[in-house]
Amino acid sequence: MDGPVPELADHAEACANRLREADSVLLASHIDADGLTSAAVASSALERAEIPFETVFCRQLDADAVAEIAATDYETVLFTDFGSGQLDIIAEHEAAGDFTPVIADHHKPAEGVETEHHLNPLRFGLNGATELSGAGASYVLARALEPEDGDNRDLAALAVVGAVGDMQDSDGGLHGANAGIVAEGVEAGVVEEGTDLLIYGRQTRALPKLLQYATDVRIPGISNNEAGAIEFLTELDIDCRDDEGEWKRWVDLTNEERQGLASALMRRAIASGVPAARIDDLVGTTYVLTREDEGTELRDVSEFSTLLNATARYDRADVGLAVCLGDRDRALDRARRLLKNHRMNLSNGLQWVKEHGVKVEDNLQWFDAGDEIRETIVGIVAGMAVGTNATRNGMPVLAFAENEDGDVKVSSRGSYVMVRNGLDLSAVMRAASRAVGGDGGGHDVAAGATIPKGTVEAFIAEADRIVGEQLA
Ligand SMILES: [Mn+2]
């Protein structure tokens, strides 16, 4: 069997065999939407394969966190959505006989060191930032772990949520190895792929809010303009309100009505002078989870991944995991309340950046939020600020915030245009942080680091120099 990603099939089989030999497994995963779905995919697969396990989450897998894991009694540790970047630390523990690692990850591996059971798309010539997520790598492993009479393809739904949570669909859909996973999800009847308006909130937002908050493609007079959005909808020849006079959501419209609304929106964008290339971005490939109820966050993969982020960023990985594993009662209620709070914090964070502005260096721009923005969301805020008038075009954004330990968390966001021009934020974060006694890594387009207090200035100088070299 080739599995969903043929390049990884043999190696996934070897990793699965190693797990089957284990008496019990400690599953350690990252705390974000991709990490939570990775853990859900892996834990479902372990359970179905009748391999005993326990699950732990870490925000950051540093030397201390790995040492804590090593101090447990587990002889086999399955790392999902992290582990590759910490291969040097992990390999030391392996050599010391502390545990045998199995890794399903998609981040850049630490250099000059390798371990036997290391499932990472980057080792097989695939792109880890755009083609396969941590949940995707875990899914490949899950397929290899399938019992003789079992079928783990239903887990593709969660793998797709993870990929979208890591923004791997940001150029209009999922492709590469991810497409193979989508195809299996479709075959299994858990995922539906379609072409639709690429606006966040199709399942849950009332139409005026849907349009008003759609700011990826800015439409003058509608984006960030409640009255404008309502006026636009009122002038359409479409029933945008239900029998009780309440605004409908996108999912409440018929296909014909959706098409009518989408075309009207595009005409309006063209008339307002939005560039053709941006107008194309209004429509793209979307993914629906067919087993979830219509009109819920869980039905749409991007809303699902945001819901998970809202649990993860507030140290409630347990809530996010429970939702992934099927809890539709208390955990889902709790997740929804966390999401409300998360939204408010993001909007306050972006407001803060707009008010305080960014500082511009030769090759990058940055802001230091101190303790004004929670360190777990400062990266999202930085991403939201890219492309708004709060930041400059064509330069990566670095965001600083204090973390609980009194260190400084750095998040960086670029664009795919910058990456094509040579930007690799993973290398920038790693080298600049290590130069000041910290550590970091991630992806070329988005990466992070933790640095000691008082080193921000030196860090910026070093990062600015490296970005300059990359883009030269
Ligand atoms: Mn990930």
Side-chain angles (χ1 to χ4, degrees):
M1 186 193 75
D2 274 354
V5 185
E7 293 91 335
L8 272 61
D10 288 346
H11 197 62
E13 202 61 52
C15 292
N17 285 335
R18 181 61 191 77
L19 290 168
R20 285 192 196 101
E21 285 166 20
D23 289 332
S24 67
V25 174
L26 183 64
L27 166 60
S29 196
H30 190 211
I31 306 189
D32 68 2
D34 189 27
L36 287 170
T37 46
S38 299
V41 168
S43 59
S44 301
L46 289 169
E47 195 163 304
R48 291 172 188 180
E50 297 180 2
I51 301 168
F53 68 97
E54 229 180 288
T55 310
V56 292
F57 289 95
C58 306
R59 184 161 307 288
Q60 205 185 0
L61 192 65
D62 53 18
D64 290 345
V66 181
E68 250 175 68
I69 287 170
T72 64
D73 287 337
Y74 292 90
E75 179 272 331
T76 303
V77 181
L78 171 58
F79 295 94
T80 57
D81 197 34
F82 57 22
S84 295
Q86 301 77 18
L87 210 51
D88 43 356
I89 304 168
I90 290 171
E92 272 176 36
H93 283 282
E94 185 179 20
D98 293 342
F99 58 76
T100 302
V102 179
I103 302 172
D105 190 10
H106 66 131
H107 294 94
K108 291 229 165 100
E111 275 166 28
V113 54
E114 193 47 278
T115 187
E116 195 182 343
H117 305 292
H118 180 203
L119 195 63
N120 186 318
L122 292 157
R123 289 181 75 203
F124 301 91
L126 306 176
N127 187 320
T130 59
E131 287 188 66
L132 197 69
S133 66
S138 303
Y139 177 76
V140 172
L141 180 62
R143 291 283 278 133
L145 271 171
E146 226 163 72
E148 289 271 311
D149 56 348
D151 182 354
N152 280 342
R153 288 179 308 169
D154 59 321
L155 301 175
L158 290 168
V160 173
V161 174
V164 169
D166 266 8
M167 291 180 290
Q168 300 201 328
D169 65 335
S170 48
D171 61 354
L174 292 171
H175 48 82
N178 279 322
I181 297 178
V182 170
E184 291 202 348
V186 171
E187 270 169 36
V190 293
V191 177
E192 222 171 71
E193 192 177 12
T195 303
D196 207 341
L197 197 64
L198 282 189
I199 292 185
Y200 179 86
R202 288 182 302 270
Q203 292 289 330
T204 57
R205 277 188 178 158
L207 287 170
K209 288 226 163 6
L210 181 84
L211 298 183
Q212 176 195 346
Y213 292 143
T215 49
D216 278 353
V217 179
R218 261 155 228 285
I219 303 174
I222 295 179
S223 306
N224 289 323
N225 185 337
E226 189 182 3
I230 289 176
E231 196 188 322
F232 168 79
L233 290 166
T234 312
E235 284 167 4
L236 293 177
D237 199 16
I238 296 171
D239 255 343
C240 292
R241 293 181 191 261
D242 65 16
D243 296 342
E244 269 116 62
E246 298 286 331
W247 288 105
K248 291 181 183 169
R249 301 161 302 185
W250 184 256
V251 287
D252 301 322
L253 301 176
T254 65
N255 276 335
E256 220 168 279
E257 289 171 331
R258 287 182 203 173
Q259 274 170 17
L261 205 163
S263 332
L265 199 60
M266 289 175 142
R267 281 197 302 276
R268 172 66 174 267
I270 293 166
S272 320
V274 177
R278 298 297 289 146
I279 291 170
D280 286 345
D281 292 344
L282 275 170
V283 172
T285 310
T286 58
Y287 306 94
V288 161
L289 303 190
T290 51
R291 289 194 184 166
E292 303 296 344
D293 289 342
E294 196 150 280
T296 65
E297 297 87 351
L298 308 171
R299 179 93 176 172
D300 179 274
V301 293
S302 61
E303 293 193 59
F304 195 153
S305 75
T306 303
L307 186 74
L308 293 180
N309 264 322
T311 68
R313 310 274 159 169
Y314 302 89
D315 290 319
R316 293 307 304 267
D318 56 323
V319 174
L321 180 64
V323 171
C324 287
L325 294 176
D327 186 325
R328 298 291 173 264
D329 296 317
R330 286 185 57 180
L332 183 55
D333 284 347
R334 187 82 190 94
R336 283 177 171 150
R337 271 182 282 139
L338 286 161
L339 177 61
K340 241 185 171 169
N341 170 57
H342 179 53
R343 289 239 160 83
M344 200 179 64
N345 288 342
L346 289 181
S347 130
N348 292 343
L350 185 60
Q351 197 51 41
W352 188 92
V353 177
K354 284 181 172 164
E355 272 163 26
H356 292 77
V358 295
K359 301 208 170 54
V360 179
E361 306 294 330
D362 290 340
N363 306 297
L364 57 81
Q365 53 195 327
W366 60 277
F367 64 88
D368 186 349
D371 59 2
E372 297 288 328
I373 302 176
R374 205 180 153 93
E375 54 124 348
T376 54
I377 65 165
V378 77
I380 308 182
V381 173
M384 288 163 70
V386 172
T388 71
N389 53 14
T391 60
R392 217 179 251 211
N393 260 337
M395 276 185 167
V397 177
L398 270 55
F400 299 86
E402 278 168 25
N403 75 8
E404 294 167 342
D405 308 327
D407 294 324
V408 177
K409 164 79 186 292
V410 195
S411 296
S412 60
R413 295 291 181 273
S415 70
Y416 285 102
V417 177
M418 297 176 209
V419 168
R420 275 197 292 277
N421 291 332
L423 182 73
D424 178 359
L425 288 172
S426 168
V428 174
M429 288 294 111
R430 181 161 299 153
S433 64
R434 288 191 175 173
V436 299
D439 203 3
H443 303 294
D444 43 19
V445 73
T450 305
I451 57 174
K453 209 174 180 156
T455 64
V456 170
E457 233 169 273
F459 175 87
I460 291 170
E462 185 62 7
D464 190 41
R465 187 186 65 74
I466 303 171
V467 172
E469 272 175 18
Q470 291 179 349
L471 294 177

